């Protein structure tokens, strides 16, 4: 379902409205109000700051403040190091189901709510974190009603979203087969991170175009090796864009099919290598040249990663590929449920259901 976006004017009473981005220093607070009913708002949301009102301003750019059929989110900025304020948000005709970003209880006040805010950004990113030994996953839940930023207009990238889900969970199985889930020493400093992409422009994160990541990462992120496998609308991989932030700038290098992309830890030691296969069909991963290789490739029956992604292995670069498993993952972002099916080469299937809060991504019981 595609939500019709209505223009919404946000007023911040008793404070100066500024359209500039946040200051280099100062306090920032953000919150998200989730509607009880999924529908475009027909009235305007009004934010009133009750504490030190003249020292707070509303950040009005789409990255910080906005509305869709599911939610209204906003961000306040102060140039001084002020404690988070108490605010009232009045939204006539809209039933507010919950408030995220409040410090303590939320009070209902007729046509809105009153609550004390917390420091930090508005909780607009919807992400589920999964850990398997040295394998860490971040699955972002892309719901069309929340589309924003570069994804606000144009065709909804449903196939690319589905392909990256299949690639991510197939990459999990690949890394498991390589032993990274059950070892005490992966052979490098850090861990492997398998991340997707998000389409709702949370706090200005322009995660475009569609892609999935295989990373060699460590705490602090500085110089983390982040491979971005950029996808076209059919889920085909266009290139591997390796990024590393050295603290001053983001260094980028593109790898074409057949190029060897070395992934090194923070000490410069080779952790593993990634190779984009011919035609952007899949990815080969290996610890080093000459050793066993593992491959992600599209579903053999349809030739499409939108249908599923397969994992295979060969003992040497000249050997024959042996299929290990076939992986299909789905995500119902409205319900908050992912389902993953892993079918082994002998036909045995393993099914998983992961349930999460559809507004935060946190796993629920």
């Amino acid at each position: 379902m595609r939500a019709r976006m209505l223009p919404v004017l946000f007023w911040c009473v008793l404070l100066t409205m500024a359209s500039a981005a946040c200051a280099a220093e100062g306090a920032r607070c953000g919150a998200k109000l989730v509607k009880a009913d999924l529908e475009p708002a027909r009235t305007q949301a009004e934010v009133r700051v009750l504490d030190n009102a003249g020292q707070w301003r509303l950040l009005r750019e789409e990255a910080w403040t906005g509305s869709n059929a599911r939610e209204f989110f906003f961000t306040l900025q102060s140039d001084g190091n002020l404690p988070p304020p108490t605010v009232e948000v009045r939204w006539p005709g809209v039933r507010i189901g919950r408030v995220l970003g409040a410090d303590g209880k939320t009070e209902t006040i007729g046509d809105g709510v009153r609550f004390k805010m917390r420091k930090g950004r508005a909780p607009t990113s919807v992400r589920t974190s999964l850990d398997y030994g040295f394998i860490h996953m971040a699955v972002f839940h892309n719901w069309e009603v929340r589309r924003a930023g570069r994804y606000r207009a144009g065709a909804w990238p449903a196939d690319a979203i589905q392909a990256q889900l299949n690639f991510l969970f197939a990459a999990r199985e690949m890394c498991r087969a390589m032993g990274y889930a059950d070892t005490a020493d992966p052979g490098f400093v850090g861990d492997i991170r398998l991340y997707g992409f998000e389409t709702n422009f949370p706090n200005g994160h322009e995660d475009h175009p569609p892609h999935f990541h295989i990373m060699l990462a460590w705490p602090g992120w500085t110089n983390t090796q982040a491979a971005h496998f950029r996808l076209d609308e059919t889920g085909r991989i266009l290139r591997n864009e390796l990024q590393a932030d050295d603290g001053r700038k983001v260094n980028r290098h593109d790898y074409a099919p057949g190029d060897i992309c070395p992934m090194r830890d923070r000490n410069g030691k080779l952790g593993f290598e990634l190779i984009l296969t011919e035609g952007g069909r899949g990815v080969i991963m290996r610890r080093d040249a000459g050793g066993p290789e593992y491959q992600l490739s599209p579903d053999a029956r349809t030739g499409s990663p939108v249908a599923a992604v397969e994992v295979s292995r060969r003992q040497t670069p000249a050997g024959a590929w042996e299929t290990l498993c076939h992986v299909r993952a789905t995500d119902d972002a409205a319900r908050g449920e992912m389902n993953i099916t892993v079918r082994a080469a002998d036909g045995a299937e393993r099914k998983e259901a992961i349930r999460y809060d559809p507004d935060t991504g946190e796993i629920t019981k």
Side-chain angles (χ1 to χ4, degrees):
M1 178 180 66
R2 177 170 298 173
R4 181 170 58 93
M5 299 294 180
L6 298 182
V8 180
L9 177 62
F10 306 107
W11 296 96
C12 194
V13 179
L14 299 178
L15 61 93
T16 302
M17 305 292 284
S19 61
C22 64
E25 298 180 356
R28 177 185 292 176
C29 302
K32 179 167 75 174
L33 281 64
V34 180
K35 290 184 278 188
D37 305 302
L38 185 66
E39 61 180 7
R42 293 174 174 80
T43 59
Q44 301 169 350
E46 178 185 349
V47 179
R48 301 181 180 183
V49 177
L50 304 182
D51 305 326
N52 299 305
Q55 298 182 58
W56 291 95
R57 65 179 181 274
L58 187 70
L59 300 183
R60 302 177 68 185
E61 293 86 350
E62 182 183 16
W64 312 112
T65 299
S67 179
N68 56 53
R70 177 69 171 183
E71 63 204 18
F72 163 62
F73 57 92
F74 67 97
T75 306
L76 299 175
Q77 176 76 33
S78 173
D79 293 337
N81 189 22
L82 298 177
T86 296
V87 298
E88 290 181 357
V89 181
R90 297 182 179 273
W91 209 356
V94 174
R95 292 197 307 136
I96 298 170
R98 64 193 298 200
V99 176
L100 301 174
D103 183 7
K105 293 183 179 180
T106 298
E107 179 185 356
T108 301
I109 51 167
D111 57 2
V113 290
R114 179 188 297 120
F115 59 93
K116 184 176 177 59
M117 301 186 72
R118 291 198 303 250
K119 282 188 177 180
R121 297 179 175 186
T124 48
S125 184
V126 184
R127 158 183 168 169
T128 297
S129 298
L130 303 167
D131 296 315
Y132 311 91
F134 282 90
I135 307 165
H136 303 293
M137 298 184 71
V139 183
F140 299 98
H141 303 291
N142 295 300
W143 190 5
E144 190 172 2
V145 300
R146 288 193 289 242
R147 64 189 299 180
R150 294 282 295 276
Y151 293 100
R152 176 177 292 282
W156 176 243
D159 284 349
I161 290 169
Q162 180 60 55
Q164 61 95 35
L165 273 174
N166 293 336
F167 273 121
L168 280 179
F169 282 96
R172 180 192 66 174
E173 298 307 305
M174 176 175 69
C175 291
R176 277 175 162 168
M178 295 178 72
Y180 291 120
D182 53 12
T183 182
D185 180 8
F188 51 82
V189 176
D191 51 60
I192 295 172
R193 301 187 189 180
L194 309 175
Y195 283 26
F197 74 101
E198 49 194 343
T199 55
N200 62 326
F201 197 43
N203 295 290
H205 185 206
E206 193 173 87
D207 220 14
H208 184 274
H211 58 281
F212 68 94
H213 308 75
I214 299 178
M215 295 184 266
L216 200 170
W218 46 82
W221 285 93
T222 301
N223 285 320
T224 278
Q225 306 293 289
H228 295 62
F229 292 95
R230 304 293 188 184
L231 303 173
D232 69 8
E233 66 277 5
T234 69
R236 181 174 65 93
I237 303 173
L238 300 173
R239 68 185 188 280
N240 170 14
E241 180 184 321
L242 183 67
Q243 295 184 11
D245 188 343
D246 64 11
R248 298 183 303 274
K249 64 177 181 177
V250 177
N251 298 295
R252 294 177 169 84
H253 185 83
D254 284 354
Y255 290 87
D259 292 344
I260 298 172
C261 173
M263 305 290 282
R264 300 186 183 278
D265 69 13
R266 62 185 177 192
N267 296 328
K269 181 181 179 181
L270 179 67
F272 52 87
E273 296 176 331
L274 298 171
I275 306 170
L276 183 59
T277 61
E278 183 179 355
R281 289 176 52 79
V283 179
I284 292 172
M285 184 172 177
R286 65 191 187 190
R287 290 180 182 265
D288 51 43
E293 297 184 341
Y294 296 77
Q295 179 178 239
L296 305 177
S297 57
D299 171 59
R301 185 177 62 83
T302 64
S304 171
V306 178
V309 170
E310 297 183 359
V311 181
S312 55
R313 174 181 59 204
R314 62 185 179 188
Q315 295 301 323
T316 67
W321 289 107
E322 168 197 6
T323 300
L324 298 180
C325 62
H326 174 280
V327 182
R328 165 79 176 173
T330 61
D331 185 19
D332 188 334
R335 290 183 56 196
E337 182 173 319
M338 290 187 290
N339 286 277
I340 304 98
T341 300
V342 179
R343 188 176 74 242
D346 62 5
E349 287 190 343
R350 185 179 80 247
K351 293 182 179 291
E352 303 168 63
I354 300 173
R355 296 176 179 84
Y356 60 90
D357 184 325
D359 301 308
T360 68
E362 293 182 4
I363 292 177
T364 58
K365 299 293 186 181

